[in-house]
Amino acid sequence: MCAAVYVLSTVTGYVLTSALLLKFPTLLHRRRRVPFLSRHISHRGGAGENLENTMAAFKHAVDLGTDMLELDCHLTKDGQVVVTHDAHLERITGVSAYISDMSYAELPPYLCRLDVSFQRECVCEGGEDKRIPLLRDVFEAFPKTPINIDIKVDNDTLIKKVSELVVKYDREHLTVWGNSSNQIVQKCYKENPRIPVLFSMPRVFMLLGLFYSGLLPFVPLKEQFLEIPMPSIITNLLKDPDNMTRSRRVIVWLADTLLMRKALFNHLTARGIQVYVWVLNDEKEFKRAFDLGATGVMTDYPTKLRDFLEKIGTSK
Ligand SMILES: *[C@@H]1O[C@H](CO)[C@@H](O)[C@H](O)[C@H]1NC(C)=O
Ligand SMILES: *[C@@H]1O[C@H](CO)[C@@H](O)[C@H](O)[C@H]1NC(C)=O
Ligand SMILES: *[C@@H]1O[C@H](CO)[C@@H](O)[C@H](O)[C@H]1NC(C)=O
């Protein structure tokens, strides 16, 4: 009897403390300083409106008032940090070669038309600008715009050089970097802990484990950005969504239900950790993400997202 009372009161105490701290995390954690806040994020510069990761795309996005550019980095054979998504050039240039085997001067231009990775059967027709830019070009052109950098290869030189460029252009407070691989994120953090990092995939799983066990409110976190997909958008990407097997459907539903949690988003944002959801390309999804309390949305269609934000009247 006595033991039962003891267990019951302990469990009740834990549940109540956890719930209290989930709702009011600053009772335990100092709110992180948030150097910038992004609602509108242009994925690869807005891959649906310009050729992805080109200066033309970045300029278009910044001109229409994006809060943040999202881009990807690789290293050329001659050690230049370039902004492009794939390690292999076939999809984007039609040339069968790896970026790491070519010097910057040898890199071929982009094709005139590229598929939009996150939008089924959508092709982006490019303009004049088909050049793969240097990271330095982007930093020089947009000194005030926050940039989200995906480190696309596990290469120490790449990480070091990106950090050096970030420092040189004085934008540690305007940068977030990382990768889905935890190893890469740890290297980034070790290289320069003053540049904020995002949660790698294993750390996202850990975060969910902590959240659902009630431990999250007690645990300190080093990451300042949670960047996650909205699992339900997978039906936008498949050629034939009605053809998904039952088990796939269940997995997508489960992932969506576990990940898209308002209580989780609110807790993190109250701790000063921003939540970005990718890659959303229509209004229904924008609305869902913001209703859930996400800080920002990554989109291939910056104009569409800008119009949406203006419509709901919270655009800057
Ligand atoms: C990093 O990239 C450079 C340039 O492509 C290459 O020479 C070097 O071997 C790479 N390092 C590792 C550890 O892969
Ligand atoms: C993470 O790095 C791997 C290579 O290590 C790359 O294939 C992948 O695209 C990267 N993912 C992101 C989200 O940057
Ligand atoms: C959809 O499923 C049917 C029956 O299983 C199959 O014959 C068809 O090829 C599938 N279509 C696609 C696009 O996968």
Side-chain angles (χ1 to χ4, degrees):
M1 176 64 193
C2 214
V5 170
Y6 178 73
V7 168
L8 196 67
S9 56
T10 309
V11 169
T12 310
Y14 173 68
V15 170
L16 290 180
T17 316
S18 174
L20 181 74
L21 290 174
L22 185 73
K23 189 102 180 114
F24 304 103
T26 47
L27 294 175
L28 188 61
H29 306 277
R30 205 155 46 103
R31 190 183 149 85
R32 310 286 294 264
R33 214 175 53 81
V34 181
F36 56 83
L37 210 62
S38 311
R39 293 172 67 74
H40 183 296
I41 304 150
S42 300
H43 179 245
R44 303 182 197 170
E49 296 180 3
N50 282 279
L51 288 183
E52 61 181 59
N53 282 321
T54 55
M55 291 302 281
F58 300 137
K59 182 161 184 331
H60 168 73
V62 170
D63 283 350
L64 66 76
T66 197
D67 295 321
M68 173 183 255
L69 299 171
E70 190 271 355
L71 53 76
D72 310 282
C73 278
H74 282 278
L75 200 60
T76 60
K77 194 166 138 196
D78 55 339
Q80 301 285 335
V81 181
V82 289
V83 177
T84 190
H85 184 273
D86 299 3
H88 195 271
L89 290 162
E90 179 79 46
R91 174 186 70 95
I92 52 173
T93 70
V95 174
S96 179
Y98 285 96
I99 290 182
S100 56
D101 290 336
M102 284 194 160
S103 67
Y104 182 62
E106 288 169 337
L107 289 182
Y110 278 108
L111 296 171
C112 299
R113 300 152 56 84
L114 292 181
D115 285 339
V116 181
S117 308
F118 286 91
Q119 194 68 33
R120 159 171 37 126
E121 283 158 14
C122 241
V123 181
C124 182
E125 197 86 42
E128 294 289 289
D129 182 15
K130 301 197 175 55
R131 192 173 64 95
I132 296 179
L134 293 165
L135 184 59
R136 183 180 353 122
D137 299 339
V138 184
F139 285 177
E140 251 163 37
F142 313 104
K144 301 248 170 355
T145 308
I147 296 184
N148 185 106
I149 302 176
D150 273 9
I151 300 290
K152 283 289 166 192
V153 269
D154 185 359
N155 181 305
D156 297 1
T157 315
L158 174 62
I159 292 169
K160 194 168 168 32
K161 288 203 167 172
V162 170
S163 169
E164 283 168 2
L165 283 166
V166 167
V167 171
K168 179 171 170 206
Y169 285 90
D170 189 23
R171 46 183 310 132
E172 283 170 334
H173 61 298
L174 290 177
T175 304
V176 45
W177 63 346
N179 180 281
S180 49
S181 134
N182 198 37
Q183 185 169 321
I184 297 184
V185 173
Q186 284 187 350
K187 282 183 184 176
C188 289
Y189 192 71
K190 212 168 136 214
E191 179 67 37
N192 187 343
R194 289 176 308 283
I195 307 177
V197 290
L198 48 87
F199 283 89
S200 65
M201 192 130 67
R203 293 276 295 168
V204 172
F205 285 117
M206 187 219 60
L207 187 72
L208 291 179
L210 292 173
F211 175 64
Y212 285 105
S213 62
L215 286 168
L216 180 60
F218 304 99
V219 177
L221 299 165
K222 73 170 185 301
E223 292 87 349
Q224 278 178 266
F225 294 84
L226 176 67
E227 301 183 2
I228 46 176
M230 181 182 281
S232 63
I233 64 162
I234 191 148
T235 49
N236 302 353
L237 311 179
L238 300 176
K239 271 212 178 56
D240 193 354
D242 297 333
N243 237 11
M244 259 205 313
T245 62
R246 206 186 157 76
S247 58
R248 279 252 179 101
R249 237 177 257 274
V250 170
I251 290 170
V252 170
W253 174 83
L254 193 66
D256 200 82
T257 306
L258 289 176
L259 206 51
M260 296 290 113
R261 303 282 8 144
K262 193 169 190 157
L264 174 64
F265 293 3
N266 286 345
H267 174 77
L268 293 175
T269 49
R271 287 172 70 165
I273 297 170
Q274 297 184 50
V275 178
Y276 297 161
V277 182
W278 51 264
V279 172
L280 310 185
N281 289 333
D282 80 41
E283 285 209 0
K284 261 205 331 280
E285 295 156 359
F286 300 158
K287 178 164 185 333
R288 179 170 181 231
F290 287 117
D291 285 350
L292 284 167
T295 320
V297 160
M298 293 193 183
T299 185
D300 289 320
Y301 296 89
T303 308
K304 236 193 233 181
L305 180 55
R306 194 249 345 241
D307 293 348
F308 171 82
L309 289 170
E310 273 178 3
K311 204 169 71 187
I312 64 169
T314 45
S315 186
K316 292 183 304 180

